[in-house]
């Protein structure tokens, strides 16, 4: 075994260790392995060679050839036997086919005869049923005819007097020569009556049509009137709402008129005062009033200008007296406070008179 670790023993040859304690193990392993085992052949056993395989192949070939000949002979015998059996089967098949054809033809004939017999039976039954129905119908017709004959004889006996009357009428009349002429006349009268009835029905139908048209027109007019009534109701509601709105505005206007009437006197007094003041200022300046009473805006402008001029004069007088150590208040004695005249900063609004 190869060395796998260092050894300190003697008896080392090459790369193998001769360890006596492992000899048994190595011998057992060598006996159990089969990879490098060679079996030595014995003297009495044939060796495995190509010659031996050829001999065995020839022996097998001869056995197969003998078996093939035997099987060919057996197959030839079976072939002859099968041909004989096949011929017998063909003969039997031909015989059976002929018998089958004969039996089949017989069965077809029987079936055809059976179908024909069934068809004949059905036809006979149907004819018998039809004949019975016809016989029953003829019996009923005979019964009806007998009744009709009896009724006809009774009718003839019943209308025999009328026949005598017709005969007498023809004898006494110059317009009719035979009963046929009289009957034709009666038929024409009946046809005329039928035509009159048809015309009457037609007129009645036309009247019904006119009546339906009138009813439809009436319904249409009723719908129109209903729609107009609805519109009228809606307009009436609008009128009532408008009337209420008018009353509301009338109340507001009445209140406004009352307020204007209440304040008219104050306005008139104010206008008189403004006009009087304007006249006084004009008279003070030695002029006649230029504007009328209604022209309030220009009067106020004039009064404003005069007030401004007076204020300037007053201011100049105050300054002059102040320089002279005098006072306007001291001159009068009774005036304790200095009068203040504020100039107008805004233009007064004109009255709409």
């Amino acid at each position: 075994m190869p060395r796998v670790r260092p050894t300190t023993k003697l008896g080392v040859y090459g790369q193998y260790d001769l360890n006596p304690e492992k000899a048994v193990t190595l011998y057992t392993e060598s006996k159990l392995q089969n990879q490098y085992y060679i079996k030595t052949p014995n003297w009495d056993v044939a060796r495995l060679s190509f010659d031996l395989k050829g001999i065995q192949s020839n022996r097998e070939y001869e056995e197969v050839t003998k078996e093939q000949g035997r099987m060919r002979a057996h197959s030839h015998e079976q072939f002859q036997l099968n041909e004989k059996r096949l011929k017998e089967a063909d003969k039997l098949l031909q015989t059976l086919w002929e018998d089958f054809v004969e039996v089949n033809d017989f069965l077809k004939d029987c079936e055809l005869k059976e179908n024909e017999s069934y068809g004949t039976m059905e036809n006979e039954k149907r004819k018998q049923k039809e004949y019975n129905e016809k016989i029953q119908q003829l019996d009923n017709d005979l019964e009806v005819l007998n009744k009709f004959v009896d009724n006809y004889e009774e009718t003839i006996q019943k209308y025999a007097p009328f026949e005598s009357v017709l005969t007498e009428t023809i004898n006494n009349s110059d317009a009719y020569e035979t009963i046929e002429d009289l009957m034709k006349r009666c038929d024409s009268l009946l046809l005329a009556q039928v035509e009159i009835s048809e015309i009457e029905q037609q007129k009645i139908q036309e009247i019904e049509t006119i009546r339906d048209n009138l009813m439809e027109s009436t319904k249409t007019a009723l719908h129109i009137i209903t729609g107009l009534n609805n519109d009228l109701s809606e307009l009436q509601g609008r009128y009532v709402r408008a009337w209420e709105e008018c009353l509301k505005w009338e109340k507001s206007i009445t209140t406004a008129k009352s307020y204007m009437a209440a304040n008219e006197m104050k306005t008139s007094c104010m206008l008189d005062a403004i006009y009087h003041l304007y006249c006084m200022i004009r008279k003070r300046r030695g002029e006649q009033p230029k504007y009328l009473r209604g022209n309030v805006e220009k009067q106020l402008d004039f009064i404003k200008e005069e007030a401004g001029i007076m204020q300037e004069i007053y201011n100049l007088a105050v300054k002059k007296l102040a320089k002279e150590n005098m006072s306007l208040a001291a001159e009068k004695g009774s005036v304790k406070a200095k009068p203040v005249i504020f100039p107008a900063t805004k233009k007064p609004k004109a009255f709409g008179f």
Side-chain angles (χ1 to χ4, degrees):
M1 295 295 292
R3 186 186 301 173
V4 295
R5 57 186 175 180
T7 180
T8 58
K9 296 180 182 181
L10 298 175
V12 177
Y13 297 96
Q15 57 181 353
Y16 295 98
D17 293 334
L18 299 178
N19 297 323
E21 64 274 10
K22 296 182 179 180
V24 177
T25 304
L26 295 175
Y27 177 76
T28 304
E29 290 179 357
S30 65
K31 291 291 286 184
L32 293 175
Q33 62 90 20
N34 294 322
Q35 184 176 3
Y36 303 105
Y37 178 75
I38 299 174
K39 183 178 180 181
T40 305
N42 296 322
W43 63 272
D44 57 347
V45 178
R47 296 183 180 182
L48 295 175
S49 62
F50 291 102
D51 297 334
L52 182 61
K53 288 183 179 181
I55 293 169
Q56 291 178 356
S57 298
N58 291 329
R59 289 176 181 176
E60 291 176 358
Y61 175 73
E62 289 177 358
E63 291 178 358
V64 170
T65 304
K66 291 179 181 179
E67 184 68 22
Q68 185 178 7
R70 187 183 61 78
M71 291 180 68
R72 283 180 179 177
H74 181 70
S75 63
H76 183 68
E77 292 176 359
Q78 290 292 329
F79 175 73
Q80 292 178 354
L81 182 62
N82 290 332
E83 282 186 349
K84 184 177 180 181
R85 289 178 179 177
L86 184 61
K87 289 179 181 179
E88 292 177 356
D90 289 337
K91 290 180 181 180
L92 180 61
L93 179 62
Q94 186 68 27
T95 305
L96 292 174
W97 178 254
E98 291 175 357
D99 295 339
F100 172 74
V101 170
E102 185 178 357
V103 173
N104 191 19
D105 293 337
F106 176 73
L107 291 174
K108 286 183 178 180
D109 293 337
C110 293
E111 185 179 2
L112 182 60
K113 290 179 181 179
E114 184 181 5
N115 293 330
E116 289 178 356
S117 62
Y118 284 144
T120 305
M121 290 173 62
E122 292 293 333
N123 292 329
E124 293 296 330
K125 288 181 180 179
R126 182 172 53 79
K127 289 180 180 180
Q128 184 179 3
K129 186 177 180 180
E130 290 178 357
Y131 291 154
N132 291 329
E133 291 178 355
K134 288 181 180 180
I135 291 169
Q136 185 67 30
Q137 186 177 1
L138 290 173
D139 292 336
N140 295 330
D141 293 339
L142 287 173
E143 186 177 357
V144 172
L145 289 173
N146 291 326
K147 290 181 180 179
F148 177 75
V149 169
D150 296 336
N151 293 328
Y152 186 69
E153 290 178 354
E154 292 178 359
T155 304
I156 290 172
Q157 292 177 2
K158 182 178 179 181
Y159 290 101
F162 297 100
E163 185 179 3
S164 61
V165 171
L166 291 174
T167 305
E168 185 178 357
T169 302
I170 291 169
N171 293 327
N172 295 328
S173 176
D174 296 333
Y176 307 106
E177 294 180 356
T178 59
I179 296 176
E180 287 76 7
D181 296 336
L182 182 59
M183 295 303 293
K184 288 180 180 179
R185 180 62 178 172
C186 292
D187 292 337
S188 63
L189 292 174
L190 290 173
L191 291 174
Q193 185 178 2
V194 171
E195 291 179 358
I196 291 169
S197 299
E198 291 178 355
I199 294 171
E200 184 179 1
Q201 292 296 327
Q202 184 178 0
K203 295 298 182 182
I204 291 171
Q205 187 68 28
E206 291 177 358
I207 292 169
E208 289 293 331
T209 304
I210 294 170
R211 179 176 174 276
D212 294 337
N213 293 331
L214 288 174
M215 291 296 293
E216 186 176 359
S217 301
T218 304
K219 289 181 181 179
T220 305
L222 182 61
H223 290 309
I224 294 171
I225 291 170
T226 305
L228 292 174
N229 288 330
N230 294 331
D231 295 339
L232 182 60
S233 299
E234 186 177 358
L235 290 174
Q236 188 174 3
R238 292 181 181 178
Y239 174 74
V240 171
R241 289 193 294 273
W243 178 254
E244 292 176 355
E245 190 71 20
C246 289
L247 291 176
K248 187 188 296 183
W249 282 105
E250 185 177 359
K251 184 177 180 181
S252 300
I253 291 169
T254 303
T255 305
K257 285 183 178 180
S258 300
Y259 181 78
M260 290 174 65
N263 294 329
E264 186 177 3
M265 185 177 293
K266 294 180 180 180
T267 304
S268 180
C269 293
M270 188 179 294
L271 291 174
D272 291 339
I274 292 170
Y275 184 71
H276 183 66
L277 180 60
Y278 170 71
C279 292
M280 287 177 63
I281 294 172
R282 281 284 185 179
K283 187 176 181 181
R284 178 176 175 276
R285 294 180 63 177
E287 297 177 358
Q288 294 294 328
K290 184 178 179 181
Y291 304 112
L292 299 177
R293 182 176 178 273
N295 199 351
V296 180
E297 185 177 358
K298 292 185 178 181
Q299 293 176 9
L300 291 174
D301 291 339
F302 180 77
I303 292 170
K304 178 182 177 182
E305 291 176 359
E306 290 296 326
I309 293 170
M310 290 180 181
Q311 184 69 32
E312 290 178 359
I313 293 170
Y314 178 78
N315 292 332
L316 291 173
V318 169
K319 290 178 181 180
K320 184 178 179 181
L321 292 175
K323 289 180 180 180
E324 296 177 358
N325 294 324
M326 296 178 66
S327 175
L328 293 175
E331 290 181 358
K332 295 183 179 180
S334 60
V335 180
K336 296 182 180 180
K338 180 181 178 180
V340 179
I341 300 175
F342 296 97
T345 58
K346 293 183 180 180
K347 187 177 182 180
K349 295 182 180 180
F351 293 93
F353 295 98

